[in-house]
Amino acid sequence: MEYKPGLHLLATLYTQRTDLLQESSFWNTFIQAQITSHQLTAVGHCVHDFPGGGFTGVHCLTESHISIHTWPEFNLCTCDIFLSNFSKNNDAITTAIMEQIQQFFEATPEASHCIRR
């Protein structure tokens, strides 16, 4: 079997929706729906809400991971999505989830990077 590199997307997003950056409950509901709708396989997650606002989270998947870090005091979050292409090509799903994250936060991308690995 030949290894086929997957798509790894990283983005810094700015938003006026600081209510969505303050604590993780809305994010958890949203990202679980994304994982389910794209038929990804969750194997665990760790999310931490910071006192005073902001949260960080990593959602582990058999396909790899989705992570987020928020800074409501700066109106921004950073997101990281990597889905391997081991069992099938997941490039379209990786891209779709990043687009959905931007829509969820009503965000404008400040910086983004695309890595093949």
Side-chain angles (χ1 to χ4, degrees), residues 11-29:
T12 301
L13 307 174
Y14 281 89
T15 180
Q16 295 303 310
R17 293 293 311 269
T18 55
D19 58 311
L20 297 175
L21 301 174
Q22 287 291 334
E23 56 91 20
S24 65
S25 65
F26 297 115
W27 165 259
N28 286 331
T29 300

Side-chain angles (χ1 to χ4, degrees), residues 22-97:
Q22 287 291 334
E23 56 91 20
S24 65
S25 65
F26 297 115
W27 165 259
N28 286 331
T29 300
F30 163 78
I31 204 62
Q32 289 301 328
Q34 291 297 307
I35 290 167
T36 300
S37 72
H38 290 288
Q39 299 178 341
L40 299 173
T41 306
V43 294
H45 69 277
C46 182
V47 179
H48 176 77
D49 288 290
F50 293 102
F55 64 93
T56 188
V58 178
H59 302 266
C60 298
L61 311 167
T62 59
E63 298 83 5
S64 196
H65 69 274
I66 301 169
S67 69
I68 186 168
H69 307 279
T70 71
W71 289 271
E73 66 273 26
F74 299 116
N75 293 63
L76 73 89
C77 66
T78 57
C79 302
D80 167 4
I81 305 169
F82 176 56
L83 299 180
S84 75
N85 286 340
F86 179 73
S87 61
K88 69 175 186 172
N89 186 311
N90 284 308
D91 293 357
I93 295 171
T94 306
T95 302
I97 292 173

Side-chain angles (χ1 to χ4, degrees), residues 92-111:
I93 295 171
T94 306
T95 302
I97 292 173
M98 184 61 81
E99 289 171 358
Q100 289 297 313
I101 289 171
Q102 289 178 24
Q103 289 177 16
F104 172 75
F105 286 111
E106 299 174 24
T108 304
E110 172 67 20

